[in-house]
Amino acid sequence: MSTPLFPLFLDLSGRQVLVVGAGMVAARKIQPLLDAGARVRVGALALGADVAQLLAAGRIEFLAGEFSESWLDGAWLVLAATDDDDVNRQVAAAATQRHLWVNVVDDARLSAFHVPARIERGPLQIAISSGGGAPMLARHLRERLETEIDESFGPLAVMLSAARGRIRARYPRPAERRAFFDELLAGPLPGLLRQGQHEAAAQELQEALDKLPVRKGMGRVALVGAGPGDPGLLTLRALRVLNQADVILHDHLASDAVLDLARRDAQRIDVGKRARGRSTSQDDIHALMLEHARAGRRVVRLKGGDPFIFGRGGEELQFLRAHGLAYEVVPGITAALACAAYAGIPLTHREHAQSVRLMTAQRKESWQSIDWQALSRDGQTLAVYMGVSELDTLRAQLLAHGRDPSTPFALIENGSRPEQRVITGRLDEMPERALAEAVVSPALLILGEVAALANELHWFGEKPLGGELARDLSRAA
Ligand code: SAH
């Protein structure tokens, strides 16, 4: 491998640059030099059409004839862009002799500097180099970045550089300034610029500067839904918050694939680890959030699925509020939605289900207060969280209250993850089927007519392990 190049951005305004050659290639190189304010002298035997136009417009100076070393006088930078290799070599040698930086178009070996592929958004520039070895790759990457970095970065850069003095005066300490920028850029400002609302954007910036600074020594907590496991199901906002986190308190349900996307140097605390069957108590989790936020850190409380669905998110917010800590909530895709989608089960269906209930079967004490009558009516879908160990009781209650024994169910284990399994069958054989297939946590139960559609609409992972029902259906077909 060759020695890496050293990237630079040059201020060429008012400085003389010599370009040898005046064909199409040279013209392409001259324009950006002029844009950067360089005084361009073009030396060549004859002028191509484009360069002639620049001369007529008075934008360049022309040195006619064979290359002469005297052309280098006063130049800071030299570009050789003729179609004659000998001349290019001659220019490179003469420039090198004088310790001038020289580039020979398409010849990395003769070049002392390379002109990178670049993306421009106003004063903001991204330059890409492959070290001269694979310019096509650099160009390819540039095209990809072009589509990803939207136009609003130009005005954003202009606006922020105009406000630089004010921002520095307001937040003299780099850490505070960084927090200010993080917050500003996560807010509505970039969106306003994207929509061309420059005045509103300027106002937004002013308001952010006028606002009381984030209380010193006070961090904040983001309650973030990590989704069911597939990192592709994380929201963009969750990703951004994870990238800014100093500390991440995560559940056992937040998958490694999701955690891999978080900031590398964030401290990770697994509060869901079940050492000898016990996980960190809710009080301990509260205490950890408080401790880290009070130390001025940005805390992410990362929960599987959505934080407000059977995730005790409400309790945690009440605690934060009671202690005067700032917080935000980032919703996630809850297990019922993700498992249904990844098992090919539409939770509602015009013919089979007009409503869906999200319920948990975990807290036995509350079973008396459950309206089993209502849950047992057909034409609705039940999505049962934490229900694997209660399948017996669930079946007994539902059958006792009149649900049809042939009602289809689907148990989705590790929904959306590579190891996903789907077990289907009928309500009356549900616990036995789960036992036979050794279903483990996390698993979600979907009960209702729509569950049978998994056998037809599955698309992710292995096809469903069907019981009696699937066999009946395939016999009928
Ligand atoms: N807040 C979470 C639910 C927490 S309760 C959410 O919104 O999804 C934990 C239960 O969620 C598990 O017992 C299981 O029933 C379900 N669950 C979570 N992730 C799951 C997954 N990837 N596959 C199947 N079930 C899941």
Side-chain angles (χ1 to χ4, degrees):
M1 230 174 61
S2 55
T3 326
L5 298 173
F6 184 74
L8 281 178
F9 286 94
L10 300 179
D11 177 359
L12 289 180
S13 52
R15 298 193 214 270
Q16 204 178 98
V17 176
L18 173 70
V19 177
V20 183
M24 251 154 52
V25 177
R28 256 206 325 272
K29 302 286 166 185
I30 292 169
Q31 193 53 55
L33 292 169
L34 291 172
D35 292 344
R39 288 188 4 244
V40 178
R41 299 172 89 194
V42 179
L45 291 170
L47 291 182
D50 292 341
V51 181
Q53 234 169 36
L54 289 172
L55 180 64
R59 304 208 52 200
I60 59 162
E61 200 185 316
F62 180 44
L63 306 163
E66 302 267 352
F67 170 68
S68 140
E69 273 195 47
S70 65
W71 289 2
L72 297 169
D73 295 346
W76 290 73
L77 210 62
V78 182
L79 269 87
T82 74
D83 52 11
D84 184 328
D85 286 345
D86 286 339
V87 176
N88 287 346
R89 233 187 314 269
Q90 217 183 315
V91 175
T96 307
Q97 183 79 38
R98 293 203 192 185
H99 293 194
L100 282 172
W101 291 102
V102 64
N103 172 268
V104 177
V105 173
D106 284 338
D107 193 329
R109 274 178 318 125
L110 287 180
S111 296
F113 75 91
H114 297 180
V115 182
R118 63 189 180 134
I119 295 145
E120 261 188 288
R121 296 290 181 269
L124 193 73
Q125 297 200 48
I126 301 174
I128 305 167
S129 160
S130 65
M136 282 302 173
L137 186 64
R139 225 162 290 165
H140 172 78
L141 188 60
R142 196 207 69 184
E143 276 158 26
R144 268 174 50 182
L145 290 174
E146 279 286 3
T147 59
E148 255 167 57
I149 300 172
D150 69 67
E151 297 297 330
S152 68
F153 275 91
L156 185 61
V158 171
M159 183 178 229
L160 292 179
S161 60
R164 186 154 183 238
R166 280 185 291 153
I167 295 170
R168 281 184 161 253
R170 186 81 168 82
Y171 297 103
R173 297 217 332 242
E176 285 175 8
R177 210 153 54 231
R178 193 178 138 191
F180 168 77
F181 272 107
D182 282 350
E183 196 149 323
L184 186 73
L185 297 178
L189 181 75
L192 288 169
L193 288 172
R194 250 188 321 272
Q195 293 157 25
Q197 301 185 23
H198 295 258
E199 224 164 276
Q203 201 176 332
E204 181 67 32
L205 174 62
Q206 192 53 51
E207 274 168 22
L209 278 168
D210 290 345
K211 218 173 55 179
L212 279 178
V214 189
R215 246 191 302 162
K216 223 174 85 203
M218 260 307 198
R220 52 186 299 129
V221 179
L223 200 57
V224 179
D230 176 350
L233 295 179
L234 212 58
T235 65
L236 292 176
R237 185 177 292 276
L239 192 59
R240 191 157 55 209
V241 173
L242 277 172
N243 272 313
Q244 293 169 355
D246 298 310
V247 180
I248 300 169
L249 303 175
H250 64 89
D251 273 357
H252 66 288
L253 278 176
S255 71
D256 290 343
V258 167
L259 284 167
D260 280 347
L261 297 173
R263 211 174 106 202
R264 293 278 152 209
D265 48 358
Q267 185 188 350
R268 289 151 200 228
I269 304 175
D270 183 350
V271 294
K273 190 169 271 162
R274 304 205 149 153
R276 275 175 261 113
R278 281 185 52 219
S279 51
T280 314
S281 77
Q282 195 62 40
D283 285 345
D284 290 343
I285 294 174
H286 288 171
L288 279 168
M289 291 195 298
L290 195 62
E291 175 197 326
H292 288 290
R294 285 204 167 141
R297 299 182 192 118
R298 282 162 300 184
V299 180
V300 165
R301 172 73 180 102
L302 189 67
K303 290 166 169 294
D306 179 87
F308 281 176
I309 303 282
F310 307 124
R312 306 188 78 168
E315 288 163 56
E316 291 178 8
L317 286 201
Q318 284 168 326
F319 175 84
L320 294 173
R321 174 144 295 255
H323 288 79
L325 286 174
Y327 58 76
E328 67 180 297
V329 184
V330 182
I333 296 190
T334 190
L337 302 188
C339 291
Y342 278 61
I345 300 172
L347 288 173
T348 69
H349 190 288
R350 283 218 302 200
E351 282 160 33
H352 307 300
Q354 281 67 49
S355 70
V356 191
R357 284 182 196 245
L358 308 188
M359 57 177 288
T360 172
Q362 203 202 23
R363 301 188 61 189
K364 268 228 181 89
E365 335 65 282
S366 60
W367 280 40
Q368 278 87 347
S369 60
I370 291 178
D371 185 353
W372 289 105
Q373 206 79 45
L375 291 180
S376 304
R377 277 196 284 276
D378 56 11
Q380 66 176 329
T381 308
L382 304 184
V384 187
Y385 290 69
M386 298 177 273
V388 185
S389 56
E390 304 299 336
L391 296 177
D392 255 325
T393 334
L394 265 172
R395 171 178 63 183
Q397 290 287 354
L398 291 170
L399 291 180
H401 290 85
R403 188 91 204 208
D404 191 323
S406 71
T407 306
F409 79 83
L411 268 165
I412 299 114
E413 181 190 273
N414 280 308
S416 88
R417 302 174 182 199
E419 61 272 31
Q420 169 176 306
R421 291 200 305 160
V422 178
I423 291 97
T424 56
R426 302 161 36 124
L427 173 58
D428 58 3
E429 57 170 6
M430 185 167 71
E432 291 78 24
R433 291 279 302 122
L435 204 63
E437 304 291 357
V439 174
V440 297
S441 184
L444 184 103
L445 168 67
I446 296 180
L447 188 96
E449 289 72 9
V450 290
L453 289 168
N455 298 310
E456 184 187 325
L457 299 179
H458 71 85
W459 57 275
F460 180 79
E462 297 297 322
K463 66 176 201 270
L465 302 160
E468 290 303 327
L469 179 83
R471 284 196 286 281
D472 284 353
L473 281 176
S474 55
R475 240 179 270 136

